[in-house]
Amino acid sequence: MASPDDHPGERAAADPVRLLAIRDTPLSVDEVFRAVGDDAAGGIALFVGVVRNHDGGQDVGALGYSCHPSAEDELRRVAEKVVADFPVRALAAVHRVGELAVGDLAVVVAVACPHRAEAFDACRKLIDDLKHEVPIWKHQRFLDGTEEWVGAC
């Protein structure tokens, strides 16, 4: 008798990277969620990064994201590393560049796996590695007139 772990749905999909993009247009949680739909996935973990109104004790008025031309290639490398380390059925990640206001979506990532624990772990790895390894920089402008650049890598 075959064990439940032998079912193809318990393994990573053949091509689980469904959506990767760096965009200068507003992001959609629904688009990312739809991209990771998979009948073999028992868990989908989704993370949404939003521009907040403060950082480091200062009030943020606005910010801008910019990226290196290699950013999408680096995003793919990060995604493929997550796929190699977890039984990912589907993965999606989009990051915004350009000028954003408080409340705007800056990044949306999602991972679908056979089980919830794997989905949580893979999603955390995806967003953490994206923030540390993909060359995207944040330029924050504070309400007191000061500003700062924050590097992702």
Side-chain angles (χ1 to χ4, degrees):
M1 178 172 176
S3 97
D5 292 335
D6 291 337
H7 191 279
E10 293 294 318
R11 296 187 290 273
D15 187 17
V17 178
R18 305 270 179 86
L19 171 64
L20 295 176
I22 296 175
R23 297 183 177 154
D24 61 1
T25 56
L27 305 182
S28 165
V29 172
D30 290 338
E31 176 192 25
V32 172
F33 183 73
R34 281 191 308 271
V36 297
D38 188 288
D39 289 344
I44 295 174
L46 183 117
F47 174 81
V48 180
V50 181
V51 177
R52 64 181 177 268
N53 68 358
H54 68 281
D55 190 39
Q58 294 183 278
D59 294 325
V60 172
L63 60 81
Y65 282 100
S66 58
C67 68
H68 188 272
S70 68
E72 281 196 5
D73 291 337
E74 289 302 307
L75 179 56
R76 176 160 295 280
R77 187 186 60 71
V78 164
E80 288 173 352
K81 187 172 145 189
V82 171
V83 166
D85 292 344
F86 297 92
V88 175
R89 300 297 307 171
L91 178 149
V94 291
H95 200 296
R96 178 110 181 254
V97 293
E99 295 301 311
L100 283 75
V102 170
D104 284 348
L105 304 185
V107 60
V108 183
V109 301
V111 179
C113 291
H115 304 281
R116 74 176 172 273
E118 299 158 342
F120 279 126
D121 292 344
C123 189
R124 176 177 287 281
K125 178 78 169 155
L126 177 59
I127 189 60
D128 287 351
D129 287 358
L130 185 161
K131 296 309 274 181
H132 289 106
E133 298 178 26
V134 178
I136 298 172
W137 305 281
K138 177 170 53 174
H139 182 209
Q140 296 187 113
R141 290 179 299 288
F142 301 105
L143 292 180
D144 68 2
T146 61
E147 58 186 49
E148 76 174 342
W149 282 92
V150 180
C153 56

